[in-house]
Structure formats: structure tokens, C-alpha cells
Amino acid sequence: MRRLRFSLGALALATTGLLIAAPAFAHTEKDAGPYKLLFGWRDEPAYTGSQNAVQLFVHDASGKAIDDLGKKGLTVVVSTGSGATAKSSSPLALTSAFDPDSGLGTHGEFDSPLLPTAAGTYTFHITGDINGTAVDVSAASSDTTFADVTDPTAIEFPVQSQTVPQLSSAITTLQGRVASAQSAAASARDSAKSSKTMAIIAIIVAIVLGLIAILTGRGRKTA
């Protein structure tokens, strides 16, 4: 019996140790009146070029999941970058992931699909209304909230593909070269047209001078 108790105790300690060692759920929690909002990326790590979503869980003060947000509901604006490179999305609807007809999905979960195309820090700004309670909360990705978006190069195998920014840069460079080639071709065409025009003018002048010479010669003979 003592051995059994010891084994159960050791198992409990080991389980506790695993729970403590496990990484924290990468979401951040904010309060909005009587409601608690837990939000972050649906899939982490979050990689550029990979389908993801802003994921939100809504519970009341007692911990009960809220599936019905009311008529207005919630939206999220996603932003990244700073200064001249700052970008913000239009308001994206957060829709329920739970299907009451089939019973599939998670109670209290609301998602907004998103495919991040640039690595870096992202901010989620959630606004709207939950059954008459105004909501206006935001958080930026960090070590204590949810993950930054990173390039997937480190996990690509066997061939590492170019990232979205790299492809964009390559396309921009190619477009510049095409524009330069088109400009050079246009200049060459204009130059060719000018040369052709000058040649025609020279021929006309030569003909006119020839006619003048002929007429002048005839006039002298007549005299």
C-alpha cells in the first residue's frame, strides 16, 4: 500500500512538473466590463505566407463561455510596422467558431481568418459590443502575449523557398529592369525614326539641288 501511495504521489509530482514546464497558452487576457477576452493567434508559431487567424475566447465573470455577442458583435483591426512602413487592416469580423446545429467547434471562440505576409510585431485592436457592453481592447505581440510573425525558412525542408518580402523585392527589381529596357527600346526607336527622317530630308535636298543645277545649266545654254 505504501508503495502504491508513493507511486501515485510520484506520478502526481511528475504530472505537476510537466504542467509547470509546458509553455503557456500564447494568448493575452483583457477585461471588458463583466467579460474576459482571451486572444492571440490561432496557430503558433505564426509564419509568413501561412493561413492563420485572430482567435478570441469570450467568457463572463463566472467563467461561462459566451456564444452570442449580440447584434453588434466584435471586429479586429490588425496592424504591423511603424512609421512610414506601418500598415493596418480594415475592421475584420470575428465570427463564432461554434456551430449550434452540429455541436461542432468550441464554445466562446470567435475567429477572423488572416494570412500574414510580413514578419514582425503585430497588434490586435478589438472593438465592438457584447450584449450592450462596449469593448475596446488591444495588445501587441511579445514574449508575454502572443507570438511575433516569423519567416518559415528555418523549418523548410528540403528546399528553402523565398519569403514573401524576398519575392516582392525580386519582382520590383525585375519591373525596374523591364521599364529600363522599354525606355531604351523607345529611345532607339525614336533615334531610328529621326535618322530615317534626316535621310529623307537629305534625299529631297539633293533632288532639289539637282533640279536647280539642271535648270541653271539649261538657262546658260539658252543664253
Side-chain angles (χ1 to χ4, degrees):
M1 181 63 71
R2 288 183 63 186
R3 182 176 297 176
L4 177 60
R5 288 177 179 174
F6 176 80
S7 298
L8 291 174
L11 178 61
L13 287 173
T15 303
T16 302
L18 287 174
L19 290 174
I20 294 174
F25 189 46
H27 283 52
T28 187
E29 186 176 78
K30 299 286 184 178
D31 292 332
Y35 300 104
K36 293 188 177 297
L37 282 65
L38 189 70
F39 58 95
W41 291 110
R42 183 191 62 195
D43 302 319
E44 288 200 357
Y47 292 115
T48 57
S50 295
Q51 179 68 46
N52 211 319
V54 178
Q55 185 180 54
L56 168 70
F57 295 95
V58 181
H59 295 81
D60 62 16
S62 66
K64 179 183 177 182
I66 304 298
D67 291 323
D68 184 6
L69 300 178
K71 293 182 178 180
K72 188 173 182 180
L74 300 173
T75 61
V76 58
V77 171
V78 180
S79 58
T80 187
S82 60
T85 62
K87 300 287 185 181
S88 294
S89 72
S90 56
L92 307 172
L94 285 156
T95 57
S96 178
F98 177 71
D99 181 5
D101 295 329
S102 64
L104 298 176
T106 302
H107 285 286
E109 179 183 348
F110 298 84
D111 298 329
S112 182
L114 187 72
L115 195 157
T117 56
T121 299
Y122 279 66
T123 297
F124 299 160
H125 184 194
I126 299 173
T127 58
D129 183 286
I130 303 177
N131 296 315
T133 298
V135 174
D136 189 345
V137 298
S138 65
S141 58
S142 69
D143 293 338
T144 58
T145 54
F146 47 92
D148 288 343
V149 174
T150 57
D151 292 325
T153 308
I155 63 168
E156 290 179 333
F157 178 84
V159 178
Q160 292 182 336
S161 61
Q162 287 186 309
T163 63
V164 173
Q166 288 172 336
L167 289 173
S168 178
S169 177
I171 291 172
T172 300
T173 300
L174 181 59
Q175 288 175 334
R177 291 177 179 175
V178 170
S180 297
Q182 289 175 334
S183 178
S187 296
R189 185 169 57 251
D190 292 341
S191 178
K193 287 181 179 179
S194 297
S195 298
K196 184 177 180 180
T197 301
M198 293 300 294
I200 292 172
I201 292 173
I203 292 171
I204 293 173
V205 170
I207 293 172
V208 170
L209 291 175
L211 290 173
I212 292 173
I214 292 171
L215 292 174
T216 302
R218 287 180 178 178
R220 288 176 179 175
K221 288 180 180 180
T222 303

